[in-house]
Amino acid sequence: MNILYVYAHPNPESLNHLLKQQAVDFFAGNNIHVSYSDLYADHFNAVASWHDFDSEIKQPQYMLAQQKAYAENKLTADIESEIKKITAANHIILQFPLWWFSTPAILKGWFDRVLVKGFAYDTGKIFDAGLLKGKTASLTVTTQSPESAYQINGVHHAGIDTFLHHIQHTLCFSGIEMLPPYVIYGAAEMNAEREEKIKEEYKRYLENIVKK
Ligand SMILES: Cc1cc2nc3c(=O)[nH]c(=O)nc-3n(C[C@H](O)[C@H](O)[C@H](O)COP(=O)(O)O)c2cc1C
C-alpha cells in the first residue's frame, strides 16, 4: 500500500501534530510507504491563479487553463509534485482541524490547484468514471465543539457528516471512494489520559485503513 498523507495544521505543539506524529510512527513501524504533504511546513500556495501555468496558457476559465497546462506539462512544479504523489498513492489521508465547518483555507487551495481537470476528472469522467477511480481516501478531523453539539438537536443542528459531506463529495467527484472519517470532538477537553486513549484509537483506525 502507498499512502499520501496531506496535513493541514500550522502548529507543531497541537493535538493535530500529536495525531500526525502517531501516524508517522505507525507507518514507519509497519514499513508502509507514505508520502507527506505538510501544507503549512511546505508553505503550500493556497491561492489558485494564472501564475499556476506557463504564461503561454491563455484560457478564459481557470479549469480550462488547468486542463491545457496539464496536457502540455505546463503546470508549476509544486502542483506537478502533488499530482505525482496522488498518482502514486492507493489511499489518501487528509488531516485537518475543522475551521468554520470546513477545511483550513490552505487545504481548500490544495483541492483548487491540484485536482486538475484532465488529471482528476474530465468531461463525462466524474464519480464512477472519475480519473482517480480505484483510490480510496479518508479524513482525520478535530473539532472544538463536543460530539453533543454535532447532533440534529445540538448547537450546530446537524451531525458531523453534514459538514464533511462537501469535502468527501469533492474527492468522490474524481472517482475516489471515501472510507469512514476519524473524528475527535471536543479538542479543548484534553488531558494526558485522553491523549493516550486517542493515540491508541488512531493507531487502530490506521490499522483498519491499511488492511482494506
Ligand atoms: C478559524 C477557526 C475556525 C474554527 N471553526 C470551528 C468550527 O467550525 N467547529 C468547531 O468545532 N471548532 C472550530 N474551531 C476550533 C478547532 O477545530 C480546534 O481548535 C481544533 O480542532 C483543535 O485542534 P488543534 O489543537 O490541533 O488545533 C475553529 C478554530 C479556528 C482557528
Side-chain angles (χ1 to χ4, degrees):
M1 184 169 225
N2 199 346
I3 306 250
L4 169 59
Y5 203 100
V6 183
Y7 177 66
H9 197 288
N11 183 4
E13 311 262 310
S14 59
L15 169 65
N16 271 271
H17 181 77
L18 181 96
L19 277 175
K20 191 230 180 184
Q21 198 49 49
Q22 180 69 349
V24 169
D25 294 346
F26 171 77
F27 293 130
N30 289 279
N31 272 329
I32 293 162
H33 187 273
V34 52
S35 305
Y36 292 93
S37 290
D38 186 340
L39 302 183
Y40 280 96
D42 298 347
H43 301 287
F44 183 77
N45 170 19
V47 182
S49 79
W50 263 250
H51 296 299
D52 294 340
F53 324 114
D54 189 301
S55 58
E56 287 164 31
I57 302 288
K58 309 244 184 273
Q59 288 289 331
Q61 280 192 2
Y62 181 81
M63 60 156 67
L64 297 180
Q66 281 183 312
Q67 184 184 34
K68 194 164 193 303
Y70 177 68
E72 296 177 9
N73 279 321
K74 286 176 179 161
L75 287 165
T76 51
D78 63 335
I79 298 175
E80 284 292 357
S81 160
E82 296 305 307
I83 284 179
K84 280 200 185 97
K85 289 189 214 173
I86 294 175
T87 303
N90 316 105
H91 183 78
I92 303 166
I93 297 175
L94 303 169
Q95 188 197 326
F96 56 92
L98 197 69
W99 281 5
W100 294 120
F101 310 102
S102 185
T103 66
I106 203 165
L107 181 53
K108 173 59 164 58
W110 186 85
F111 291 139
D112 292 347
R113 298 182 66 233
V114 175
L115 297 179
V116 165
K117 182 171 165 88
F119 162 64
Y121 70 97
D122 216 329
T123 308
K125 292 184 179 161
I126 58 173
F127 297 111
D128 273 355
L131 299 177
L132 301 183
K133 194 172 166 61
K135 299 182 191 296
T136 53
S138 55
L139 309 180
T140 297
V141 185
T142 62
T143 78
Q144 190 82 340
S145 301
E147 190 166 5
S148 58
Y150 288 99
Q151 311 287 334
I152 293 285
N153 297 324
V155 173
H156 300 313
H157 306 292
I160 193 74
D161 287 351
T162 301
F163 300 105
L164 300 183
H165 178 261
H166 71 286
I167 306 161
Q168 296 173 322
H169 194 73
T170 299
L171 295 157
C172 288
F173 186 84
S174 298
I176 297 174
E177 180 195 344
M178 293 306 299
L179 303 185
Y182 179 67
V183 182
I184 295 177
Y185 299 96
E189 309 297 318
M190 206 48 66
N191 54 46
E193 196 188 331
R194 189 172 175 219
E195 266 181 24
E196 280 313 306
K197 232 173 114 191
I198 285 170
K199 277 164 70 179
E200 198 45 46
E201 201 179 75
Y202 194 41
K203 194 173 113 194
R204 284 201 303 278
Y205 173 82
L206 294 173
E207 275 165 2
N208 276 327
I209 295 269
V210 299
K211 262 194 233 147
K212 302 241 176 202

